[in-house]
């Protein structure tokens, strides 16, 4: 499945939670969250010329997108009375130059719903893609491919 641009207003009508994080030193520094739950060293990955001795924004984005999308699956699945035992979502976030002389991202989500048949799983993934805040935030400006396996 590939994400297509959809004309929907996905902005929140009410803010229920605000996460706060601060970067110190860009891609060669560290990040912290306001509540102290996150304190990570950040480093350029070897593929981009760094030593890889720390996490990077793409890994953090992949972690956020995969956990958020999985939660959307669970939410939609629960509404439908489905058993999602053993389900997982893995995210790959790619970065590279774009045509505007900057950089862009591409995302591939691999969804595993081992005890659901393919048709039910596909409908669930489509519904979760409409619910997930990361899906809504990236729709139309980042290529998001969803692989169901």
């Amino acid at each position: 499945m590939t994400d297509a641009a959809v004309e929907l207003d996905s902005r929140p009508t009410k803010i229920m939670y605000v996460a706060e994080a601060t970067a110190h030193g860009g891609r060669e520094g560290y990040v912290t969250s306001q509540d102290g739950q996150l304190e990570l060293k950040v480093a350029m990955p070897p593929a981009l010329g760094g030593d890889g001795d720390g996490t990077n924004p793409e890994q953090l984005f992949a972690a956020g997108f995969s956990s958020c999308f999985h939660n959307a699956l669970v939410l939609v699945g629960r509404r439908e009375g489905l058993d999602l035992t053993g389900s997982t979502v893995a995210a790959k976030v790619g970065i590279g130059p774009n045509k505007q002389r900057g950089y862009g991202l591409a995302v591939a989500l691999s969804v595993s719903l081992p005890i659901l048949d393919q048709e039910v799983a596909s409908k669930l993934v489509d519904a979760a893609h409409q619910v997930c805040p990361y899906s809504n935030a990236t729709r139309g400006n980042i290529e998001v491919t969803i692989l169901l396996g």
Side-chain angles (χ1 to χ4, degrees):
M1 292 175 235
T2 301
D3 195 15
V6 177
E7 292 295 323
L8 296 175
D9 186 355
S10 63
R11 294 174 292 189
T13 58
K14 176 183 176 184
I15 301 295
M16 298 170 58
Y17 169 73
V18 174
E20 295 181 47
T22 303
H24 311 263
R27 286 181 172 268
E28 295 293 336
Y30 64 99
V31 293
T32 59
S33 61
Q34 173 272 336
D35 63 3
Q37 292 295 314
L38 181 70
E39 189 171 326
L40 298 170
K41 182 177 179 182
V42 180
M44 291 283 275
L48 297 178
D51 63 13
D53 189 27
T55 191
N56 60 67
E58 294 72 37
Q59 286 178 334
L60 296 171
F61 193 82
F65 206 151
S66 63
S67 63
C68 191
F69 195 88
H70 193 257
N71 195 69
L73 281 170
V74 170
L75 175 70
V76 174
R78 188 177 304 134
R79 288 178 184 164
E80 298 295 321
L82 299 172
D83 182 359
L84 301 184
T85 300
S87 63
T88 61
V89 176
K92 292 181 180 180
V93 175
I95 184 171
N98 63 21
K99 293 178 182 177
Q100 288 78 35
R101 299 182 66 183
Y103 291 86
L105 300 175
V107 175
L109 299 175
S110 296
V111 179
S112 175
L113 298 162
I115 64 173
L116 296 181
D117 71 54
Q118 190 71 17
E119 185 177 334
V120 171
S122 181
K123 287 180 182 178
L124 178 63
V125 166
D126 289 342
H129 196 39
Q130 297 306 309
V131 170
C132 176
Y134 276 69
S135 293
N136 288 328
T138 59
R139 188 170 287 113
N141 59 15
I142 294 177
E143 180 183 350
V144 176
T145 303
I146 303 175
L147 307 167
L148 182 56

